[in-house]
Amino acid sequence: HIHILIFLYPDARLEQPAQINKAISAQLPDPVTQPNLFKLVEKLMIHGPCGDLNPNASCMKNGKCSKNFLKAYQEETVLSENGYTLYARPQNERTCVKSIRGVGDFTLDNRWVVPYSPWLLMELQSHSNLECCISIKSFKYIHKYVYKGHDRTTMAIGESQDEIKQYIDARYISSAEAVWRLFCYNMHEEKPNIV
């Protein structure tokens, strides 16, 4: 599980709905003209179901989906003021069936599709939620994941008072951080500097 923030070169930025639609989709592809992509979206990029269809889903918090699904139908992609894109989710009669063991079969439409890159999905063949961030507000959200630190725990058995040993024992360096350090990249940077 990883959160990645990618900054694009100015000439490659997704700034218009037509550009975003070429890179990111939040709808079921045509099962006739794109059968392989349709199968991958059906298998990997459908959220839930949750809400009234499945109130016991793991994403449900206080009677609502924590991921804000079921999304509304949206005929065109729109750049919203909060920094996130409202992706085209047309009401085009495309559906897929998702089975949940012990709950049942559900016929779902574009409102349940997690935004994805068709190219990336075909290449990786794994779930990859892709979002287009177009405002500083959205960057703040992703930065809390980038800078929140590593998973760690401290456990003491006995009477040890060695703080250095406790720090080393509790320190966890993931493969991503290890490679970053091997390439001698800065671990963080703040502009402008704050004192």
Side-chain angles (χ1 to χ4, degrees), residues 107-177:
T107 301
L108 306 173
D109 55 27
N110 289 331
R111 296 174 295 173
W112 296 97
V113 178
V114 176
Y116 65 95
S117 160
W119 176 83
L120 198 59
L121 186 58
M122 292 294 288
E123 192 69 24
L124 298 177
Q125 299 198 9
S126 68
H127 176 84
S128 56
N129 179 4
L130 189 65
E131 299 283 348
C132 180
C133 303
I134 55 175
S135 161
I136 193 66
K137 293 177 184 176
S138 52
F139 292 114
K140 289 180 181 178
Y141 169 79
I142 194 70
H143 276 352
K144 79 176 182 183
Y145 287 102
V146 174
Y147 292 112
K148 75 177 183 177
H150 314 285
D151 296 332
R152 56 189 171 271
T153 184
T154 303
M155 186 171 98
I157 300 174
E159 297 284 325
S160 175
Q161 297 296 323
D162 187 346
E163 291 178 14
I164 296 171
K165 183 177 182 329
Q166 285 179 339
Y167 174 79
I168 292 171
D169 289 346
R171 182 85 169 117
Y172 169 77
I173 298 177
S174 68
S175 57
E177 182 181 344

Side-chain angles (χ1 to χ4, degrees), residues 47-117:
H47 176 80
C50 58
D52 292 339
L53 296 177
N54 184 11
N56 295 323
S58 60
C59 62
M60 295 294 288
K61 305 286 185 243
N62 299 322
K64 288 181 151 183
C65 175
S66 61
K67 311 301 181 205
N68 297 318
F69 279 89
L70 167 81
K71 303 288 186 185
Y73 284 119
Q74 180 87 23
E75 288 304 314
E76 299 290 329
T77 298
V78 176
L79 306 176
S80 70
E81 292 180 16
N82 70 357
Y84 290 99
T85 306
L86 299 173
Y87 302 99
R89 296 173 187 276
Q91 192 171 357
N92 58 11
E93 308 302 322
R94 290 185 192 157
T95 61
C96 67
V97 175
K98 187 165 182 182
S99 299
I100 298 179
R101 191 178 359 190
V103 180
D105 293 342
F106 299 94
T107 301
L108 306 173
D109 55 27
N110 289 331
R111 296 174 295 173
W112 296 97
V113 178
V114 176
Y116 65 95
S117 160

